[in-house]
Amino acid sequence: MTGQKQMGASFQSGNYQQAASIADSLKQNDVYKAKDRVLYSLEMGTIQFFQNNYKKSIEEFTNAEEYIDQFFAKSASTGIKAFLTNDTQLNYDGEVYEDVYLNGFKSLAYLEMDDYLAAFVEARRIAQKLDQAESKYAGYANSMQESDTTDHEIEWNAGTSSIHDSPLSHYLASMLYAKSGAPDDARIELENLQSAIERHQALPNSQVEFVPAFKKVQNPDNFNVLLTAFCGKAPEKRSNNIKIEDINDSPGLKIAIPKLVMRPSKVARVEATIDEEKSVSMFIIEEMDKVAQETFQIKKPIIVARATLRGILKSAGEEAITDAAEDQDEDLGKVVGFLAENIREASEQADLRGWQTMPGKVYTNVIKLPPGEHEITFEYYSAEGQVIHSEKIPITITENERLEPLSSIYSN
């Protein structure tokens, strides 16, 4: 088992301290190199969040966000020269969904620290980034097109996504407006939430729906606890070998790009039991895994174009070496050509790096608790109605408590 998988296994088992220790060890041993700083910060941000180290979690997610911006800008300004090496050797500047959902965790972490304004800003950033993703990568593709002087018929285009909004973003924004004494804004955000859910329902096998429980966030007197349950995992990146047909005089090329493979959760529903007495249902507010799969389509054409151009340029170098060998000996030229082609194809690897501790789905609800000590038990049920995981979390409600967030995770 690789170090990253060991870290993921520790996180999944709830041993967050061990997961953090493994992540630090991987960084010290250069498994997480400078080019992988985004990944390290994403993993540590998640681990620290579920260790209740919210300030440290915010710092790590902020680092990840800043590295994503820096690496993206550097890649765009460098042009196609950056793609002459394998994608795995480039600075990892994150996927659309990774850049989006780090703001979700930052928003919840700021809520834990009673910083409503910062929590609101981060919640809005989720939707803003989704709305701007297509134009961001369209601009990137245009930069690549302008810097591509190789005279090859490479189409530099960004893809499209049907998702430009986030139910989670509007849910949190509506709640925060309500708690801040802005009922009209809370109502508008709730309407935006309903519209966003309708659009998300177009995703394959979507389970998200607008339920009456979501309307409770409009009335700040009806709740003082925000329950959030994460489950499942983000899609896994796997290598996908593609045959590109002839381009100009270049023969067909074999390239390797990542594809996202869904990892369905065993969880069919989530409930929260209050003080071992009253049980409340929780409802899906965001299908992070499906949004990941959809928004990956924005960047995919650029990944294909990079790999194709790299393959053409490597093939041109391969042909030059083969021609030089044939000038000396025809049989030697054939051997050199065969070896060069196989070395080129073997050296082309899909970039399978990604945020391993990112969950797949988010469930939520709000409740009203009296002052005092309480215990909330999050229960994760299978489709057969069996409890497959439970987590008990103590909570203290003070007099005039405005909002106490409580989060759980079962990354099965």
Side-chain angles (χ1 to χ4, degrees), residues 134-153:
E134 286 183 4
S135 60
K136 173 183 176 180
Y137 281 94
Y140 181 91
N142 288 336
S143 297
M144 295 304 101
Q145 187 72 61
E146 292 173 0
S147 65
D148 187 353
T149 58
T150 61
D151 295 326
H152 294 292
E153 296 178 359

Side-chain angles (χ1 to χ4, degrees), residues 17 47 94 104 122 230 256 265 267 272 288 351 368 408:
Q17 185 173 354
I47 293 168
E122 298 299 333
F230 296 88
S265 173
V267 176
M288 299 167 70
D351 188 357
K368 181 72 174 286
S408 170

Side-chain angles (χ1 to χ4, degrees), residues 65-300:
E65 192 169 24
E66 291 176 352
Y67 291 144
I68 286 172
D69 290 342
Q70 291 171 16
F71 290 160
F72 181 85
K74 182 177 180 180
S75 177
S77 64
T78 303
I80 64 169
K81 291 184 292 183
F83 308 139
L84 299 182
T85 58
N86 194 281
D87 277 7
T88 59
Q89 302 304 311
L90 300 175
N91 290 325
Y92 185 76
D93 58 6
E95 302 295 348
V96 172
Y97 55 90
E98 293 170 338
D99 190 26
V100 165
Y101 286 125
L102 65 84
N103 294 105
F105 278 106
K106 286 178 70 176
S107 181
L108 291 173
Y110 276 121
L111 271 179
E112 293 282 1
M113 300 173 66
D114 294 323
D115 190 338
Y116 280 26
L117 178 58
F120 176 79
V121 170
E122 298 299 333
R124 294 299 297 270
R125 288 285 285 157
I126 303 171
Q128 288 169 357
K129 285 183 177 180
L130 282 170
D131 184 51
Q132 297 166 2
E134 286 183 4
S135 60
K136 173 183 176 180
Y137 281 94
Y140 181 91
N142 288 336
S143 297
M144 295 304 101
Q145 187 72 61
E146 292 173 0
S147 65
D148 187 353
T149 58
T150 61
D151 295 326
H152 294 292
E153 296 178 359
I154 303 296
E155 294 185 2
W156 291 99
N157 296 307
T160 60
S161 167
S162 64
I163 298 300
H164 305 96
D165 209 347
S166 163
L168 176 63
S169 172
H170 295 300
Y171 184 78
L172 293 174
S174 180
M175 177 187 309
L176 289 165
Y177 271 133
K179 285 293 185 180
S180 300
D184 289 340
D185 291 322
R187 175 184 52 79
I188 291 171
E189 285 296 337
L190 193 68
E191 292 172 356
N192 292 336
L193 165 63
Q194 189 163 4
S195 298
I197 286 178
E198 289 173 359
R199 288 188 287 271
H200 278 239
Q201 287 175 329
L203 294 173
N205 303 312
S206 175
Q207 296 176 293
V208 66
E209 60 180 319
F210 188 85
V211 296
F214 292 158
K215 295 181 180 180
K216 290 192 293 184
V217 298
Q218 285 188 104
N219 190 337
D221 296 328
N222 284 348
F223 65 97
N224 58 4
V225 178
L226 166 64
L227 302 174
T228 309
F230 296 88
C231 70
K233 300 177 182 177
E236 181 181 26
K237 286 183 180 177
R238 296 181 188 172
S239 183
N240 183 25
N241 296 321
I242 297 178
K243 180 69 177 292
I244 303 295
E245 297 301 324
D246 295 0
I247 300 177
N248 291 343
D249 295 328
S250 299
L253 296 170
K254 291 181 181 178
I255 63 172
I257 66 169
K259 65 177 179 180
L260 294 192
V261 178
M262 299 292 283
R263 295 186 282 183
S265 173
K266 298 177 183 177
V267 176
R269 62 186 174 92
V270 182
E271 293 187 358
T273 301
I274 305 165
D275 297 326
E276 299 184 349
E277 296 178 355
K278 182 182 177 181
S279 182
V280 296
S281 296
M282 299 184 65
F283 305 95
I284 295 177
I285 190 67
E286 191 99 2
E287 296 174 302
M288 299 167 70
D289 51 358
K290 289 183 171 62
V291 173
Q293 191 173 51
E294 177 67 15
T295 57
F296 184 69
Q297 303 308 311
I298 298 173
K299 192 175 177 180
K300 183 177 178 180

Side-chain angles (χ1 to χ4, degrees), residues 326-382:
E326 284 181 344
D327 288 342
Q328 299 182 44
D329 185 291
E330 184 176 348
D331 291 334
L332 175 62
K334 292 179 180 179
V335 172
V336 170
F338 174 79
L339 292 175
E341 180 180 1
N342 280 273
I343 291 172
R344 168 172 54 81
E345 292 186 1
S347 66
E348 183 62 28
Q349 298 177 356
D351 188 357
L352 305 182
R353 292 175 292 177
W355 182 5
Q356 293 193 42
T357 53
M358 179 182 137
K361 288 179 173 55
V362 192
Y363 289 73
T364 190
N365 205 343
V366 291
I367 58 175
K368 181 72 174 286
L369 292 179
E373 302 292 328
H374 300 276
E375 186 177 71
I376 306 296
T377 302
F378 291 88
E379 295 176 316
Y380 298 80
Y381 288 82
S382 68

